[in-house]
Amino acid sequence: YLNTGGRYEDWSTMNEGFFYPSVDVAFQFSKLLPKNDIFTFGKIRAAWGQVGRAAGPYTDRAVFIDNAVTGDAGWGGAIDQSAYGAGGSRQSNTAPSILKPEIKTEVELGIDARFLKNCLSASLTYYVNNTVDLIQNVTLPATTGYLSRTANAAEVGNKGLELELSGDIIKTADFTWSLNANYSRNINEVKKLEGVTQIALSGFTGSTSSAVVGQQLGTIYGDAWDKNDNGTLKLDANGFPQQASSPTILGDPNAQYRVGVGTTVRYKNFTLSMFLDHNAGGKIWNGTKGALYYFGRHEDQNHTVTLTAAEAASMKTWSGQTVDELITAGGYPSANKAADGSVTIRGKKANFGGADVLLEENWYLSGPGSGFTGPTEQFIEDATWTRLRELSIQSASDTVGD
């Protein structure tokens, strides 16, 4: 079997139209084999194709946008001033002089097979694709009058493997049990960026999902702890870690692989279906945890500690004062201190590689212990999960209404 195709598109945001072709071929090699009940069907296939993507609306010009006033210190809703007679402002992104379409070229190879009178089937696919002239905003110096410029800014490659299996374990007139499973793995790489080594795609305080040369697309990029060459934390004079001066790569959010397993059991008119999905590896930024640390509302902060008189007199806090010095200065109520000199306080003891220190509210509120005041690195977590995607029970009736 041989199929060919082509598509031509012309967009108002592009300087020229573009054409992208495709071709695929398949060969059913099982026809060359003697008929048997073990190997029922076999086919190999290959495909090559291109697909294009144009820039979005208004990216070919610098337009004016509504001014908006945001309430509640940036956390609430916005007021559109144009509804009250106010003017607009020019958008912060400038139009490109020449913008080419984003083109992805892909090659795919695969094999499909069925066994035991079609009771068992398998499909394996390997693909490689490359996207050039990726359309993305590139940061500009504010002195240019803009903050970013839309450009053909990147080249990204992907390669991956997909495997699907399915089969009927038991099949009778009244009872059927079938299983299906799938496996997928994708590896991508940012091969080139225009004039930079990192472009922020989206993000929030202290971290971004970024394109970084040599890394997978979407790499988590942000603030980290300052470290020595051997990987240990650099500590200040009081024993606390310090934030590095420059952002760095914090983790890869892409899964190492994904696996899904499903089953369907039918007995007469009743059918039970279930599907499990597993995502292995990858990293995620827990921004909610970082915010709750700042406000002192996370369950991890629900602890108190009792220090001996010697600890209260020597153990440092983030402010540089000892616990006794904080109480003397009015930072904590004197009632926290017992007659024997011991102190009970909300917080916990920690050791970052030097002396013991106390992590109390100042560590989270003004020190680097929260998502708003400290490095993002401390809130990067493993993204592995297993989920029950589907569970259903169905009943069919043989009765036909009048």
Side-chain angles (χ1 to χ4, degrees):
Y1 308 94
L2 177 64
N3 298 295
T4 60
R7 182 184 179 94
Y8 179 84
E9 293 187 358
D10 195 357
W11 292 69
S12 60
T13 55
M14 309 301 295
N15 296 296
E16 58 184 25
F18 49 97
F19 173 79
Y20 39 95
S22 64
V23 60
D24 64 88
V25 61
F27 174 62
Q28 187 176 335
F29 62 88
S30 57
K31 290 185 175 181
L32 303 179
L33 304 176
K35 289 185 177 181
N36 61 86
D37 293 338
I38 297 178
F39 187 75
T40 313
F41 174 85
K43 180 179 71 174
I44 55 174
R45 47 188 166 79
W48 175 93
Q50 289 185 328
V51 62
R53 188 178 78 91
Y58 307 113
T59 51
D60 60 336
R61 64 197 67 190
V63 298
F64 284 85
I65 57 176
D66 292 340
N67 285 320
V69 177
T70 305
D72 301 331
W75 301 100
I79 299 175
D80 186 353
Q81 293 191 81
S82 64
Y84 302 92
S89 62
R90 191 171 60 183
Q91 67 180 17
S92 61
N93 183 63
T94 183
S97 56
I98 298 177
L99 195 62
K100 297 183 289 184
E102 180 182 305
I103 300 293
K104 181 172 79 171
T105 303
E106 180 165 335
V107 175
E108 180 179 297
L109 303 173
I111 182 170
D112 302 317
R114 295 196 292 268
F115 306 88
L116 304 176
K117 296 183 178 180
N118 297 326
C119 287
L120 177 65
S121 63
S123 177
L124 179 66
T125 301
Y126 175 77
Y127 62 87
V128 177
N129 64 57
N130 196 66
T131 303
V132 297
D133 297 324
L134 196 71
I135 299 172
Q136 181 60 45
N137 290 342
V138 179
T139 302
L140 293 177
T143 52
T144 62
Y146 297 92
L147 298 180
S148 61
R149 175 174 63 89
T150 303
N152 296 112
E155 179 180 349
V156 178
N158 285 271
K159 59 182 178 180
L161 187 69
E162 297 175 349
L163 174 63
E164 295 182 9
L165 299 172
S166 64
D168 296 325
I169 308 302
I170 301 174
K171 190 173 184 180
T172 66
D174 291 333
F175 183 80
T176 301
W177 176 30
S178 62
L179 289 173
N180 63 86
N182 63 74
Y183 167 91
S184 63
R185 174 172 169 80
N186 180 78
I187 301 173
N188 67 57
E189 180 187 2
V190 178
K191 296 182 176 181
K192 183 175 65 175
L193 296 174
E194 184 193 13
V196 294
T197 58
Q198 179 263 340
I199 294 177
L201 305 176
S202 64
F204 192 57
T205 303
S207 69
T208 60
S209 173
S210 295
V212 182
V213 174
Q215 303 294 320
Q216 295 211 79
L217 191 64
T219 290
I220 303 174
Y221 191 84
D223 300 324
W225 295 117
D226 199 6
K227 298 182 180 68
N228 298 302
D229 293 338
N230 62 0
T232 59
L233 295 172
K234 286 187 178 181
L235 306 180
D236 63 15
N238 296 318
F240 288 92
Q242 306 170 85
Q243 183 170 312
S245 58
S246 301
T248 187
I249 296 170
L250 301 179
D252 181 4
N254 298 280
Q256 296 177 6
Y257 64 87
R258 294 188 67 169
V259 174
V261 179
T263 185
T264 300
V265 178
R266 181 192 62 83
Y267 176 69
K268 293 187 176 180
N269 295 329
F270 293 91
T271 303
L272 170 67
S273 297
M274 182 178 66
F275 188 81
L276 289 171
D277 198 7
H278 177 71
N279 182 95
K283 298 295 182 180
I284 189 172
W285 169 58
N286 192 341
T288 300
K289 182 179 180 180
L292 291 175
Y293 267 33
Y294 178 79
F295 295 112
R297 304 298 295 175
H298 196 275
E299 63 178 356
D300 288 353
Q301 299 168 297
N302 185 25
H303 41 237
T304 58
V305 62
T306 298
L307 306 177
T308 65
E311 288 175 326
S314 62
M315 189 174 295
K316 293 288 188 176
T317 64
W318 170 249
S319 65
Q321 298 171 296
T322 65
V323 177
D324 279 349
E325 290 171 341
L326 270 178
I327 294 176
T328 301
Y332 285 102
S334 59
N336 287 17
K337 192 169 184 176
D340 62 356
S342 63
V343 175
T344 299
I345 192 170
R346 185 183 178 192
K348 66 178 180 179
K349 292 189 288 186
N351 191 308
F352 295 100
D356 286 346
V357 294
L358 180 66
L359 305 184
E360 37 74 63
E361 65 177 276
N362 290 317
W363 165 255
Y364 303 101
L365 191 61
S366 58
S370 78
F372 295 153
T373 59
T376 303
E377 181 182 15
Q378 59 191 314
F379 302 107
I380 302 297
E381 301 175 353
D382 182 31
T384 299
W385 49 258
T386 301
R387 296 172 182 168
L388 178 61
R389 286 289 186 185
E390 178 185 347
L391 179 62
S392 65
I393 301 176
Q394 299 177 342
S395 174
S397 175
D398 294 332
T399 303
V400 179
D402 294 333

